[in-house]
Amino acid sequence: MSDQLNKDYDVGALIGRGRFGAVFRCVSRISGELFALKSIDKALLTDPLDYDLSSREAKLHRLAAAGNPLAVQIHADYEDDESIHLVLDFCPGPDLFDRIAEKGAPISEPEAAMLMEDLMEAIAACHRRGVVHRDVKPENVVFDSEGRIRIVDFGSAGWIGDGGGMRELVGTPYYVAPEVVRGDEYGEKVDVWSAGVVLYTMLGGVPPFYGETAAEIFEAVRWGSLRFPSRVFRGVSSGAKDLLRRMICKEVSRRFSAEQVLRHPWIKSRGGTSSPED
């Protein structure tokens, strides 16, 4: 590891692994504060796109997290011949995926609405700074020591602050938007689609689009036919379904923005009974 990194931080136990590296506990040698260290192994960045994304992750992460308390903050970054290292807030977890699995049943509408409000506040703050996360999923939504959500992992983030769009195929199959799969130019509303899939999964316990392979999932997403099977959505309110239709909307021009999601009656009433009827 970087000599300067080792001077500044005491790197401890491994706490997780990802596609391109690992996450460790680390402690500031000056303050004694606990952080998480994300180390990206350059040898695993064999695709030019992956290398480009990883090399600019720190810059986009800092931009997205500035003044955004619902994003994990980046405190320092280092680079050596083998790795890129990011020092981040330590969040003990669990992540939202674990929370959904732990419940063993769909999450209640009031809890889902509260979580979605925080998630969309985090996403809206990113969008205001021209940053698109591009990999919104339950595994990238963690809980801090106070139990509030924090959005993490800007390794796939893109920049639209110059008014341009993006075309790279990035993201996770279950959550990626159809315009990404089609290879169209796209913008920040891909995050709204992904967040809608997260909400659908919280309320229904299953994703809206699935398949046995990534190719089959992508094909289901491409068609984007949103359904609410009665066996899992029988008890879900019309207001929640209305919001889902506006977030998981194949027509980008009709899909809600993050700010519009935050103004929806179901969110404003915290999953209450004041939601619109079908």
Side-chain angles (χ1 to χ4, degrees), residues 96 99-100 103 106-120 143 149 195 198-204 236 240 243-244 247 261 266-267 269-272:
L96 184 56
R99 175 74 67 88
I100 294 171
K103 294 276 183 178
I107 290 177
S108 70
E109 289 194 39
E111 183 178 359
M114 179 182 67
L115 292 170
M116 187 54 47
E117 181 176 29
D118 282 351
L119 177 57
M120 295 312 300
F143 293 88
I149 73 157
V198 172
L199 177 58
Y200 186 104
T201 305
M202 284 197 288
L203 295 175
V236 175
L243 177 57
L244 285 168
M247 295 176 74
V261 172
W266 186 80
I267 294 290
S269 66
R270 292 290 179 90

Side-chain angles (χ1 to χ4, degrees), residues 148-227:
R148 197 169 192 192
I149 73 157
R150 307 281 291 279
I151 191 168
V152 302
D153 195 351
F154 287 81
S156 296
W159 167 250
I160 56 168
D162 56 6
M166 298 166 289
R167 287 187 181 273
E168 300 97 339
L169 177 56
V170 297
T172 301
Y174 285 115
Y175 304 95
V176 71
E179 60 267 32
V180 179
V181 177
R182 291 194 302 264
D184 297 345
E185 184 174 81
Y186 60 85
E188 72 280 0
K189 286 188 178 181
V190 298
D191 285 347
V192 177
W193 173 284
S194 300
V197 175
V198 172
L199 177 58
Y200 186 104
T201 305
M202 284 197 288
L203 295 175
V206 294
F209 312 109
Y210 48 86
E212 295 297 322
T213 65
E216 289 180 5
I217 298 168
F218 281 144
E219 189 62 22
V221 169
R222 189 193 302 271
W223 284 101
S225 180
L226 184 63
R227 302 178 188 281

Side-chain angles (χ1 to χ4, degrees), residues 45-172:
L45 304 174
T46 55
D47 186 305
L49 173 60
D50 292 333
Y51 187 86
D52 182 55
L53 290 172
S54 295
S55 65
R56 62 180 178 169
E57 178 178 355
K59 179 180 178 180
L60 291 180
H61 191 150
R62 287 184 190 279
L63 183 61
N68 183 358
L70 295 175
V72 162
Q73 301 296 307
I74 180 169
H75 297 272
D77 62 282
Y78 304 84
E79 185 170 355
D80 53 43
D81 292 339
E82 292 79 28
S83 303
I84 299 168
H85 308 281
L86 307 178
V87 178
L88 309 166
D89 287 337
F90 178 77
C91 292
D95 60 35
L96 184 56
F97 182 88
D98 293 332
R99 175 74 67 88
I100 294 171
E102 183 184 291
K103 294 276 183 178
I107 290 177
S108 70
E109 289 194 39
E111 183 178 359
M114 179 182 67
L115 292 170
M116 187 54 47
E117 181 176 29
D118 282 351
L119 177 57
M120 295 312 300
E121 288 280 9
I123 290 171
C126 293
H127 293 176
R128 286 193 290 271
R129 292 166 176 80
V131 178
V132 185
H133 188 279
R134 298 203 292 185
D135 198 18
V136 175
K137 58 183 178 181
E139 295 90 333
N140 285 339
V141 180
V142 302
F143 293 88
D144 62 20
S145 58
E146 297 178 355
R148 197 169 192 192
I149 73 157
R150 307 281 291 279
I151 191 168
V152 302
D153 195 351
F154 287 81
S156 296
W159 167 250
I160 56 168
D162 56 6
M166 298 166 289
R167 287 187 181 273
E168 300 97 339
L169 177 56
V170 297
T172 301

